[in-house]
Amino acid sequence: YPNHGRKIRMIENQLRRKNVLVYGSLISFESTVNDESFIYSDGFINNKLMMKPFDDASRARDFSKCIFRILPAFIYQSQNKIVESIREAQDGSVDRRLESRKQRREYLNELLDNLEYEAKGNHDIYQKTKNTPVYYGQVVILEHVESQ
């Protein structure tokens, strides 16, 4: 990834300049358990953080899977309802109120409309909080930069 080095320098400059973690900061994690390893995520494939040992192959590897952006705690109510509806459809369990195709279609269209409104609201929240300090105890979201 051609911008990886530039992003790392930007992170270092930001931390030197402000010495404060702000919303929008790009971060990576260091293990206190094993300093011969690195922490990464596969993003959309797997939402877990994992630790891999350094080896000769990983030293030459691109570490873009290790970079996260600090975001404020957004609202994901509509997104969660859509995921729940998909799971219910896969399991074969259908809400009794949504037995007809027309009712399900109307419900999903309503959820999609709400999702657009929610996404715009989350974007507005980020724009308002970007570059403002993150304080101890605040709930944050780690956005996996590579899979955004």
Side-chain angles (χ1 to χ4, degrees), residues 12 57 73 86 98 147:
E12 291 170 347
I86 291 169
L98 306 172
S147 57

Side-chain angles (χ1 to χ4, degrees), residues 3-132:
N3 292 329
H4 181 67
R6 193 175 115 232
K7 285 182 181 178
I8 296 297
R9 284 190 299 280
M10 185 175 80
I11 293 169
E12 291 170 347
N13 288 337
Q14 181 181 24
L15 292 175
R16 269 192 227 110
R17 187 173 57 243
K18 293 184 179 181
N19 203 23
V20 172
L21 187 65
V22 297
Y23 288 108
S25 292
L26 298 177
I27 65 167
S28 62
F29 293 96
E30 180 179 306
S31 171
T32 58
V33 176
N34 183 353
D35 60 355
E36 292 296 316
S37 62
F38 61 97
I39 298 172
Y40 76 101
S41 175
D42 284 328
F44 288 122
I45 298 168
N46 187 340
N47 63 358
K48 296 177 184 167
L49 292 176
M50 296 167 275
M51 198 163 51
K52 266 192 176 176
F54 280 112
D55 55 23
D56 290 335
S58 68
R59 293 189 193 280
R61 190 177 295 155
D62 172 27
F63 287 94
S64 60
K65 289 184 176 187
C66 301
I67 301 173
F68 299 85
R69 180 176 285 112
I70 302 291
L71 299 175
F74 291 137
I75 299 166
Y76 289 107
Q77 185 176 1
S78 296
Q79 180 178 324
N80 291 340
K81 283 183 180 179
I82 290 171
V83 169
E84 181 183 323
S85 295
I86 291 169
R87 286 189 182 136
E88 286 174 355
Q90 289 172 340
D91 294 342
S93 60
V94 177
D95 187 335
R96 296 253 184 251
R97 296 170 292 155
L98 306 172
E99 289 184 1
S100 76
R101 279 189 180 187
K102 182 181 178 190
Q103 289 172 318
R104 285 192 299 271
R105 192 172 335 135
E106 288 172 355
Y107 177 70
L108 288 175
N109 284 335
E110 180 184 330
L111 285 179
L112 289 173
D113 289 343
N114 291 344
L115 182 64
E116 286 180 37
Y117 180 75
E118 189 174 273
K120 184 188 178 322
N122 287 343
H123 180 268
D124 291 346
I125 289 170
Y126 177 64
Q127 292 304 315
K128 288 176 185 173
T129 59
K130 188 176 180 181
N131 296 319
T132 61

